[in-house]
Amino acid sequence: MIDLRFAYEKDIDLLIEGFREAHGESSFKGDFDAEMARNYISNFINMRYSKFRIAVQDNEILGGVMMAASYEWCRQPLAYVVKFWVFKKGRRTRAARLLLDYVNQFAQEYDCSAIYATATAELDATEQKLFENLFHRNDFVDVGATLRKDCYG
């Protein structure tokens, strides 16, 4: 059985290894740095309007979603899917669907007017399409392009 729970400081080492795996699967530029990942995760866990949920089975982290509520110029915040991933060991399980259910719960909890997610992991074509299909099947629609400019030539 897969359980969803909040990520805690005690999970950071396992999450770093998952981030390392995810970085290796993407075509992101830059060198992976475990200490930077540690700081990023720790800071996110402790931010006021953010939540970090993980899918766990048999004490193994299968994936996670990092959500943020952004209070901008409207009374209702916008929800942002900051990071969403399923590690290799969590694929072909219900982990992705359960995490996406949490995306909707988060938006309801914060009374968000919309949820935004970008498919910017730069995965191979198959994994990228699976991610996009998961969100499209759950009422997400394309509303604009994501643009990138390389900074290192």
Side-chain angles (χ1 to χ4, degrees):
M1 179 167 172
I2 299 172
D3 293 312
L4 285 190
R5 66 171 175 79
F6 290 110
Y8 300 107
E9 297 282 337
K10 69 179 180 132
D11 299 311
I12 290 178
D13 288 334
L14 290 175
L15 289 167
I16 288 171
E17 290 313 307
F19 276 38
R20 185 186 313 275
E21 175 187 292
H23 181 77
E25 284 188 290
S26 77
S27 42
F28 278 140
K29 308 288 185 208
D31 301 320
F32 183 84
D33 185 293
E35 197 56 33
M36 292 294 293
R38 179 178 307 286
N39 291 336
Y40 176 67
I41 295 165
S42 180
N43 288 332
F44 197 91
I45 286 171
N46 293 300
M47 284 194 313
R48 182 174 179 190
Y49 297 113
S50 68
K51 300 280 176 86
F52 193 154
R53 291 287 272 194
I54 54 176
V56 179
Q57 184 175 45
D58 299 325
N59 294 318
E60 284 196 282
I61 299 173
L62 304 179
V65 62
M66 299 168 80
M67 295 295 302
S70 180
Y71 290 85
E72 298 173 14
W73 51 84
C74 297
R75 289 177 194 241
Q76 301 82 12
L78 298 172
Y80 284 95
V81 179
V82 178
K83 300 282 184 230
F84 185 103
W85 73 97
V86 177
F87 303 140
K88 289 178 184 176
K89 61 187 158 197
R91 296 189 186 148
R92 291 170 187 69
T93 70
R94 293 188 37 76
R97 289 182 291 277
L98 293 170
L99 291 166
L100 193 55
D101 287 346
Y102 178 70
V103 168
N104 292 316
Q105 291 170 21
F106 177 92
Q108 288 178 336
E109 177 184 342
Y110 283 90
D111 192 31
C112 296
S113 60
I115 307 167
Y116 286 90
T118 59
T120 56
E122 300 184 41
L123 301 170
D124 68 39
T126 301
E127 294 300 326
Q128 187 74 22
K129 195 64 177 167
L130 287 170
F131 175 87
E132 292 173 22
N133 288 345
L134 174 68
F135 278 76
H136 284 141
R137 281 193 313 269
N138 286 276
D139 301 323
F140 282 75
V141 296
D142 296 321
V143 293
T146 299
L147 307 173
R148 182 191 80 192
K149 176 183 176 183
D150 288 334
C151 296
Y152 295 110

